[in-house]
Every structure is written in C-alpha cells, then in structure tokens.
Amino acid sequence: MNKTVVKALELLQLFTTYEQLTLQEIVQLTKLPKTSVFRMVQSLMTTGFLKKEGEAYELGLSLLQFGCLVTERLDVRKVALPIMKQLREETNEAVNLVVKDGDEAIYVEKVETSEPVRVYTRVGRRAPLYAGACPRVLLTFMSIEEQKKYLDRVELIPITSKTIVNREELKNLINEAKKKGYTVSHSELADYSSAVAVPIFNHEGKVVAGLSVVGPENRFQSSYIEQLVPKLKHKAGQISKALGFIGGKDVEL
Amino acid sequence: MNKTVVKALELLQLFTTYEQLTLQEIVQLTKLPKTSVFRMVQSLMTTGFLKKEGEAYELGLSLLQFGCLVTERLDVRKVALPIMKQLREETNEAVNLVVKDGDEAIYVEKVETSEPVRVYTRVGRRAPLYAGACPRVLLTFMSIEEQKKYLDRVELIPITSKTIVNREELKNLINEAKKKGYTVSHSELADYSSAVAVPIFNHEGKVVAGLSVVGPENRFQSSYIEQLVPKLKHKAGQISKALGFIGGKDVEL
DNA sequence: AATATTAATTCCGATATTCGGAACAAAAGG
DNA sequence: CCTTTTGTTCCGAATATCGGAATTAATATT
C-alpha cells in the first residue's frame, strides 16, 4: 500500500465536513507536520482535486467531473429515477435510493416532495448499514454469511437517541423485516424523521439497492405505513425487473 | 510536490475516459511498472476512490459524495439554476453554465430542451477557453493582462474542423465579442452544434461564469441569434445582480 | 514606523518509503 | 496437462518523502 497517497486522500476527506480550510487548519485537524501537509495540498492542487480560493483551500472542480461520471455509470440509478418520480407522485413523499458500499450505505439519488415539512437527505451521504430503514434493508437482504460476518464485526454506535445499539434487537428487526419484505425506522439517523424501505434485486438475485419513502415521524403512523408498503414494493419490483431480476417471493411484480 | 500522489491521481483520471480497467490495462496505458500500479490502485481502493467490480476497477462511490459537495458549494450555480430554467422556457433551447478552472472551462450545470434534436453536454466536461461560445466568453471578459498571458501561452489545438486555430482570428473575435457583449460559435467543440454565450460577473466585477444557449447549427441563423441575445443578457444580468454585481455597461439589468 | 505575531513557503540532510525486477500464485485457455 | 495470462507477494536498492529549522510574507500591535 501507498502511505502517502492514502494520507493525501484522507486529507481530502476533511473537505467533506469543512467547506474551506487553511493550511494551518489542516495541520491541526490531521496532526501531521506542516511541511507534509503543504506537499500533499500542492499535489492535490496540481491534479485539480483542491483549489486555493483566497486564503483557504476548497474542493476542486475535477471532482465535479468524477461525481457526474459515477452517477451516470450507476445503472440502478438510471432505471430507478423515473420510477422514483412516479412513486413521489403517488405518495407525495420524498423518495431515496441507497446502494451498499463496503460496510456503508450511500444515498445515490433522491426525489423531493412538495410538502412544506421535508426531510433533507444529501446525495453522497453515507450511513452505517444498521441504522435507518434504507441502509438496514440492504443489510437485511444481503447473503446470510455476509450478514453474519458484518453483525459480528460491526460496532453499533448511536447516531441519534433512537439508533438501535443492541445487537439482539437489531437481529430481531432484521429477521422480522426479512419476513415482511420491508423495513421501517423512526428517528434512527435523524430526529423526527421516519422511513419505510424495500429491497431492489439485480439479475443475480442480489440486493443492489434500497428504495425508501422518507418523511416526518408524526406523519408515519402504522396505518399510513401500511398504505405505503404495497406501493413501494410494486415500484421496487419494477426496478428489479428492469435490472433483470426474475424470481422473488417477496416482491410483487 | 508529492510524486506518488500525483501519479496515483493521474491514474484515477484514466477512468474519466474508461469506465472499467483491469490492472493490466492500467499498466499499458500508464506505462508504469505493474507493482507500482498495483500499489496505487490498492491505495485508491482503501480510500473509496476506486472499487473492484469483478475483474476490473471502476470509480468508487466516494467520488459521488465529493461531486455533490462541489456542486452544492458552487454559489454561481445555485443562483443560476432557476434562472436558467426560465431561459429554457423562454427559448426552448438547452442552456449551459460554464465556469473557469485554470486554463479550462468546465460545464457545471445544464438545463435540457424538449426539442427532438438536442446537443448533449455533460456536466463536468472540460474545454479549452479558446473554443466554443461559452468558454470563449470567459476568455473575452477576463482581465486584460490575464487574457494576454493566456493568449501568448496557449497552443491552439483543433477539436473539430471549425475550431479556431489562428491566433489573430481569435484575437479579433475576442475584441468583437467584447464590444457586442456576447460570443457566438458554430461547430467549434462539436460538429453541427452552435451556441451563443454571455458573461456573468460577481460583486468584484470579475467574470465568474458564462451562460449559453446551445442548439443544432441549422437552427442558429443570425436572425435567430439576434432574438436570443437580449434574452440571454437579461438573464445573465439577473444572475450577476444576485451575485452582488452592481455596475456594468454591457449588461442590461 | 517599528516590532511582534502568525501563517505560508523553501531548504536540506536523514531515513523511511517507494520502487520495480523477479519470483510466485491463480486462473484461463489451448 | 501444459501454456499463457493476469494478479499478488517479496525484498534489496534507490530515491522520494519526511520534518525540523530557517526564510519569507502578511497582518496586527505598540
């Protein structure tokens, strides 16, 4: 492995939290010697990953290009987007699409609602697989071995006061969700926001994404969730089908 | 500067042209020793910039997050987008927003038309400042010294058969455009596509972006362009104003 | 105006890190 | 079963990185 490269890219990661940083600030945050930081920043600048805006450094425009390319190349997203828009029309709620990346879930597409009270999720946001409806639906429907390994390995860190941190409770929820074919979460990732999520499968029958409807907790009572689930399952089924998925006991095609 | 970091990031740049690459292919393209490529790829993977998809490597999902952050943080884009949509409604043509990044122009936002014949531009695309209406409008309205330096330094490489490669011709076009307050191009960046572009200024009176209307060459006759120009100028003026621009002989506010 | 303070940049010798050839392993193809 | 191709590990040599210290630049203070 290449230590310097990793360090430089970790340095770049700082800019996901901070919009602008001076050299000084980077030194403080990374605790690396100033000269080293300086060198790395220079390197990141020549490649367009960072740029200097007056005093401070910012993310460079190269990243724009990369981001767009990744988006375009994600085919789940391509087929899901129009269907997500339909779902938004039917439910008038925000719809999210999440894919798995290592031990995390990443929000790759969203369709917003016109409701005045909204839950704002940023595309590119990451969340652990155990928290939130959409991430957990990925965890629920992954292969048994992979799931077991993950559950043994993962440390359950609370994000909000309602994040599930008890391993047994999590396992129960997963098993239940597997039977029902959907997951529900209340304020696990952000306070006062709830979500219902269903899995999307590819041609191999593997979960490749989670589709969810998100909204304010007070609106998401069980009677309302029951109305949402068949709609979600229907749309997720359409997306799965478009990806070449054929079987599926849990999915109504 | 940090040689390894730069090399690794240049390696990553390969993936803007190729969607997938095996280790072998990267070795051939970069002409670097296999072991070095291997190491760099490993480093890029641990940081999520690359991922292995079966045989080959692809851009990782980290880049999605970075791309979205850059987009969100670009405030020209934020204020321009709604106005661009209005312009699309008024003209029923595709509208592009371009900013300067070093010696290049980058497309940062687009609004597409419903016309059957379209010109497709990808967000994140780069173009030299001398070619195409929108890039050249940035060149036209940058500071005199900067412009002079650029013109002395730049090598004019043809992109299509109609790309301007004669320095004198380019200078004349720039001077003319400066008087008129807009730039026109025909098939300079892509065959059969034309564009009209106007500048957007910030609070300091510096050009920060170019706004253009793009369409198929046959539709962009001079009579039609004359209709477009006032509309473009009006909208660009609105955006400039929103960015704090006050003066402006060339802009009708 | 002179001085103090803070941050950015350059220098340079020590050394840890990267380099890259070669050997090895694994998988694919004949 | 052997050959070929691609991916991965090893290890000594070399060089690129490291980081302290000095220098420069910019800003604040007396």
Side-chain angles (χ1 to χ4, degrees):
Chain A
M1 195 88 71
N2 213 310
K3 248 182 176 174
T4 326
V5 176
V6 175
K7 264 190 263 175
L9 295 178
E10 278 168 357
L11 186 160
L12 198 68
Q13 300 272 8
L14 286 179
F15 288 84
T16 56
T17 350
Y18 303 94
E19 186 162 341
Q20 292 201 126
L21 288 171
T22 67
L23 191 69
Q24 180 77 343
E25 290 168 333
I26 302 173
V27 170
Q28 283 157 4
L29 288 166
T30 57
K31 284 160 192 164
L32 291 169
K34 194 161 50 160
T35 320
S36 305
V37 173
F38 181 68
R39 248 196 312 272
M40 290 189 221
V41 168
Q42 294 298 319
S43 312
L44 290 165
M45 280 216 289
T46 54
T47 42
F49 284 73
L50 277 184
K51 66 174 173 187
K52 199 167 187 178
E53 204 59 40
E55 313 276 278
Y57 298 95
E58 290 182 358
L59 290 177
L61 292 172
S62 274
L63 290 162
L64 194 75
Q65 187 182 14
F66 280 109
C68 289
L69 286 171
V70 173
T71 313
E72 277 183 21
R73 290 173 187 173
L74 260 184
D75 55 339
V76 206
R77 189 198 139 269
K78 256 179 268 181
V79 307
L81 186 55
I83 298 172
M84 287 168 72
K85 284 181 180 163
Q86 289 169 23
L87 189 58
R88 191 253 322 265
E89 297 313 315
E90 282 181 25
T91 62
N92 201 27
E93 297 285 355
V95 179
N96 280 324
L97 184 73
V98 163
V99 304
K100 189 177 155 301
D101 185 41
D103 276 0
E104 290 180 313
I106 297 190
Y107 288 80
V108 293
E109 190 58 86
K110 64 168 179 179
V111 175
E112 286 185 352
T113 170
S114 56
E115 287 287 314
V117 183
R118 293 185 204 181
V119 175
Y120 181 72
T121 316
R122 171 182 282 150
V123 170
R125 183 199 176 164
R126 288 161 182 277
L129 293 171
Y130 58 82
C134 225
R136 196 163 55 237
V137 89
L138 296 175
L139 178 57
T140 301
F141 290 93
M142 65 167 55
S143 81
I144 311 283
E145 315 89 73
E146 218 186 331
Q147 189 186 90
K148 194 173 159 20
K149 267 193 231 159
Y150 173 81
L151 288 171
D152 287 343
R153 176 181 57 218
V154 74
E155 188 191 350
L156 302 171
I157 301 155
I159 295 156
T160 65
S161 57
K162 282 194 172 182
T163 305
I164 291 150
V165 289
N166 180 295
R167 210 170 294 264
E168 284 312 308
E169 191 183 345
L170 178 61
K171 284 181 186 171
N172 289 335
L173 268 178
I174 290 172
N175 289 328
E176 209 182 309
K178 206 157 189 178
K179 279 181 216 152
K180 289 188 180 170
Y182 69 90
T183 324
V184 178
S185 81
H186 296 293
S187 299
E188 289 181 23
L189 281 172
D191 284 325
Y192 313 117
S193 87
S194 293
V196 193
V198 295
I200 290 171
F201 301 96
N202 71 357
H203 61 104
E204 295 170 285
K206 278 177 65 181
V207 222
V208 289
L211 181 73
S212 69
V213 164
V214 197
E217 191 164 7
N218 55 38
R219 216 190 289 149
F220 277 58
Q221 304 302 319
S222 49
S223 59
Y224 183 52
I225 291 170
E226 275 163 37
Q227 284 171 48
L228 289 175
V229 169
K231 290 177 187 165
L232 263 166
K233 283 191 175 177
H234 175 64
K235 293 301 180 194
Q238 287 189 326
I239 300 168
S240 298
K241 201 177 165 188
L243 294 174
F245 180 63
I246 26 161
K249 45 197 178 307
D250 294 320
V251 190
E252 299 156 24
L253 292 176
Chain B
M1 195 87 72
N2 213 309
K3 251 184 175 173
T4 326
V5 176
V6 174
K7 263 190 264 176
L9 295 179
E10 276 167 359
L11 187 159
L12 199 67
Q13 299 271 9
L14 288 178
F15 288 85
T16 55
T17 350
Y18 304 93
E19 187 162 339
Q20 292 202 125
L21 288 171
T22 66
L23 190 71
Q24 179 78 342
E25 290 168 334
I26 301 173
V27 170
Q28 282 155 8
L29 288 166
T30 55
K31 284 161 192 165
L32 291 169
K34 194 161 50 158
T35 319
S36 305
V37 173
F38 181 69
R39 248 196 312 271
M40 290 188 220
V41 167
Q42 296 298 320
S43 311
L44 290 166
M45 280 216 290
T46 53
T47 42
F49 285 73
L50 277 184
K51 67 173 170 187
K52 200 166 188 179
E53 202 61 39
E55 313 276 277
Y57 297 94
E58 291 182 359
L59 291 176
L61 292 172
S62 273
L63 291 162
L64 191 77
Q65 187 182 15
F66 281 110
C68 290
L69 286 171
V70 173
T71 313
E72 276 183 22
R73 290 172 186 174
L74 260 183
D75 54 340
V76 207
R77 189 198 139 269
K78 255 179 271 181
V79 307
L81 186 55
I83 298 173
M84 288 169 71
K85 284 182 180 163
Q86 290 169 22
L87 189 57
R88 192 255 320 267
E89 297 312 315
E90 283 181 25
T91 62
N92 202 27
E93 297 285 355
V95 178
N96 281 325
L97 184 73
V98 163
V99 305
K100 187 174 154 308
D101 185 40
D103 277 359
E104 289 180 312
I106 298 191
Y107 288 80
V108 294
E109 190 60 83
K110 64 170 180 176
V111 174
E112 287 186 352
T113 169
S114 57
E115 287 288 315
V117 184
R118 292 186 205 181
V119 175
Y120 180 74
T121 316
R122 171 183 280 146
V123 170
R125 184 197 176 164
R126 287 161 182 278
L129 293 171
Y130 59 82
C134 225
R136 195 163 56 239
V137 90
L138 296 176
L139 178 58
T140 301
F141 291 92
M142 66 170 52
S143 82
I144 311 282
E145 315 88 73
E146 217 186 333
Q147 190 187 91
K148 196 173 159 17
K149 266 192 230 160
Y150 174 82
L151 288 171
D152 287 343
R153 176 181 58 217
V154 75
E155 187 191 350
L156 302 172
I157 300 155
I159 293 157
T160 66
S161 56
K162 284 194 171 180
T163 305
I164 292 150
V165 289
N166 180 296
R167 211 170 295 264
E168 284 312 308
E169 192 186 343
L170 179 62
K171 284 180 186 170
N172 289 336
L173 269 177
I174 289 172
N175 288 329
E176 211 181 306
K178 207 158 187 176
K179 279 181 215 147
K180 290 188 178 170
Y182 69 91
T183 325
V184 178
S185 81
H186 295 293
S187 300
E188 288 181 25
L189 280 173
D191 284 325
Y192 314 117
S193 86
S194 292
V196 193
V198 295
I200 290 171
F201 302 97
N202 70 357
H203 61 105
E204 293 171 287
K206 278 177 64 179
V207 224
V208 289
L211 181 72
S212 70
V213 165
V214 198
E217 190 163 10
N218 54 37
R219 213 190 290 151
F220 277 58
Q221 305 301 319
S222 50
S223 60
Y224 183 53
I225 290 169
E226 275 164 36
Q227 284 173 45
L228 290 175
V229 169
K231 289 177 188 166
L232 263 166
K233 283 191 176 175
H234 175 65
K235 293 301 180 193
Q238 287 190 326
I239 300 169
S240 297
K241 199 177 166 189
L243 293 174
F245 180 63
I246 25 160
K249 44 196 179 308
D250 294 319
V251 190
E252 300 155 22
L253 292 178

